[in-house]
Amino acid sequence: MCIDLPIVLNGGCVPSRRRARDGADVKIGILGTGGMAAALGGAWTAAGHEVVIGGRNQVRAEQTAGRIGAAGYGSLADAAGHGDVILVAVPAAEAPQLVGGLAGCLAGRTVIDCTNPVVPTSDGLMLNTGGTTSVARQLAAAAPDAHVVKAFNLCHVSIWTLRPPTFEDVPLAVPYCADHAEAAAATETLISSIGCTPAPCGGLARAAYLEATAALAIGLWWAGQQPRRAFPSLAEAHR
């Protein structure tokens, strides 16, 4: 049964009460009520983390929270004020303005961006950021006191419903980009807790490469191809 947690009132913000790197019981606020919010929120809830779903539509927030067994639900500000780590799981085009509106709540917190700024064109999927920046960098500019991380954007939503995501007996690698050491550690905690392997890919300046990789991979999937075949392991290459 889903309940509103009494840690935030009227959309207010509270300081993060412990650091996410402490381990098993990370407090996570999720901005959004859609597929990625449910899939990752469900995985983290199953791993023992304390998840609160925040949305503009309270009925949808309650439904998503109830479906995954989350600890609570509320407004976007409620979720932002709850988490040591905040997942941004809204459409990429809406994310910078939404995060900017919550900048005060997000100060000092790890903010994970799982969005993909892709649009279908006659030439296939293309980034709508112009190729010179990333949504993650836009979020960092909108909330300059938050610690933004790019992660969890390369796989289809269904992958995050697996317990755990393992393929050919190998745990899924989750690439991420981060500038802040504690935010990187928090992200690695969440990746490892759902049975995946953290794959650090550098600072936030490289987040655009993760977004471009997603555009390429999703385009290949839509064309009926298998992106994994383009990346053989080093062991296989050395045979």
Side-chain angles (χ1 to χ4, degrees):
M1 189 71 178
C2 211
I3 59 170
D4 276 313
L5 296 183
I7 58 168
V8 285
L9 297 173
N10 301 318
C13 299
V14 297
S16 182
R17 295 186 178 180
R18 64 176 175 273
R19 299 183 187 278
R21 67 190 303 172
D22 287 348
D25 56 344
V26 180
K27 296 169 63 177
I28 304 168
I30 297 183
L31 308 182
T33 59
M36 284 295 285
L40 283 169
W44 289 327
T45 296
H49 302 304
E50 186 181 289
V51 174
V52 166
I53 300 292
R56 285 168 287 201
N57 184 311
Q58 292 300 282
V59 172
R60 289 195 61 183
E62 181 178 6
Q63 290 173 341
T64 299
R67 190 162 69 250
I68 66 174
Y73 64 89
S75 68
L76 293 168
D78 288 334
H82 169 75
D84 300 306
V85 178
I86 310 300
L87 177 72
V88 179
V90 300
E94 301 175 13
Q97 182 175 359
L98 184 149
V99 165
L102 295 168
C105 292
L106 299 175
R109 303 177 196 265
T110 296
V111 176
I112 298 178
D113 168 28
C114 71
T115 70
N116 280 315
V118 294
V119 292
T121 74
S122 59
D123 290 321
L125 278 186
M126 303 290 285
L127 297 176
N128 64 6
T129 52
T132 59
T133 187
S134 64
V135 174
R137 292 294 290 271
Q138 292 173 353
L139 299 192
D145 294 322
H147 307 308
V148 176
V149 179
K150 188 76 184 187
F152 299 102
N153 72 305
L154 293 188
C155 290
H156 186 267
V157 60
S158 62
I159 299 302
W160 307 117
T161 66
L162 302 177
R163 304 283 188 270
T166 300
F167 302 92
E168 299 174 1
D169 298 322
V170 178
L172 177 71
V174 181
Y176 73 89
C177 294
D179 286 339
H180 191 271
E182 288 188 358
T187 302
E188 292 205 355
T189 292
L190 296 190
I191 292 171
S192 298
S193 71
I194 60 173
C196 297
T197 301
C201 293
L204 210 60
R206 291 173 56 84
Y209 298 148
L210 284 186
E211 294 178 358
T213 300
L216 178 65
I218 295 168
L220 286 170
W221 285 323
W222 284 5
Q225 302 296 317
Q226 175 50 268
R228 293 176 65 214
R229 294 175 184 161
F231 300 96
S233 70
L234 287 176
E236 291 170 324
H238 291 164
R239 286 178 183 173

